Amino acid sequence: MSRAVRVVVGISGASGAAIGLRVLERLAEAKRIETHLVISPAAERTLATEIDPGAPARARALAAQCHDHRDIGASIASGSFRTAGMIVAPCSMRSLSAIAYGQLGDLLTRAADVQLKERRRLVLVARESPLHLGHLRAMAQVTEYGAIIAPPVPAFYLKPTDIAAIVDQIAARAIGLLGLDCGEAAPAEWRGEEA
């Protein structure tokens, strides 16, 4: 019997905290996925503000292991800790820029950098609009290193009926970008138009 697939999930302080929480929920629903979570201090506040005060605790309860953002000696800070990749959802421009330019002052950015150096998938659900040239250059830089920039753009062709459906689709898409076969966590597929 093979061991569980490890996935690192980072939640940074950008708006869209519900996406990170839904990523964790979907990964918890999938079989044999071991999640390792790191939440930035700004994300703590955003989770509580955008969802409710209990959201940070719910996020932690969904993860197999939670890591303190200050603990740069945590397991997920090492390339020897094998993972299927990492999702940062949402990913603030501060975190994205830190990853792009090697400003690795906390565990979230260090863990992301490890994914890049080990040539593993790193999905950044970059949350900002509009974008200035500095944002675009940081996105280009981190993409050249191998990261996948996945802005939280709804798939309107799926005809979502509410915000929860949009959040769910974006979370499923981020998980799918790791290349995981997550069963129920798989993103909805476009089936083509009927004539």
Side-chain angles (χ1 to χ4, degrees):
M1 183 171 173
S2 59
R3 82 174 164 192
V5 173
R6 294 170 175 157
V7 174
V8 180
V9 177
I11 303 178
S12 75
S15 183
I19 299 166
L21 185 60
R22 188 62 187 135
V23 165
L24 287 165
E25 289 169 347
R26 277 186 159 267
L27 289 172
E29 293 164 5
K31 291 182 173 52
R32 295 182 46 249
I33 303 286
E34 177 186 305
T35 54
H36 288 258
L37 175 64
V38 58
I39 302 174
S40 77
E44 293 268 353
R45 182 174 179 173
T46 307
L47 281 161
T49 300
E50 291 186 349
I51 302 172
D52 63 60
R58 284 202 310 281
R60 286 187 181 88
L62 290 164
Q65 188 167 353
C66 299
H67 303 273
D68 188 294
H69 78 283
R70 298 165 295 187
D71 184 9
I72 59 169
S75 58
I76 61 173
S78 173
S80 66
F81 187 80
R82 293 189 186 129
T83 71
M86 179 175 182
I87 299 170
V88 182
C91 184
S92 67
M93 283 300 138
R94 181 185 187 285
S95 294
L96 188 147
S97 295
I99 297 162
Y101 299 111
Q103 303 297 314
L104 313 174
D106 60 33
L107 183 57
L108 191 150
T109 55
R110 171 62 187 161
D113 188 68
V114 164
Q115 305 310 309
L116 296 176
K117 81 180 186 69
E118 297 294 328
R119 307 306 191 263
R120 298 175 186 149
R121 292 189 185 182
L122 173 63
V123 177
L124 304 176
V125 182
R127 173 59 185 86
E128 191 57 78
S129 181
L131 300 167
H132 63 60
L133 185 56
H135 297 151
L136 295 170
R137 285 185 174 153
M139 288 180 175
Q141 179 94 350
V142 79
T143 299
E144 288 173 353
Y145 297 157
I148 301 168
I149 305 293
V153 178
F156 290 109
Y157 58 84
L158 295 174
K159 297 185 173 82
T161 56
D162 55 24
I163 292 173
I166 292 170
V167 167
D168 186 60
Q169 178 269 317
I170 293 167
R173 180 75 172 124
I175 294 166
L177 288 170
L178 287 184
L180 296 176
D181 179 11
C182 292
E184 289 299 314
E189 292 182 0
W190 173 247
R191 303 285 187 192
E193 288 184 296
E194 293 183 14

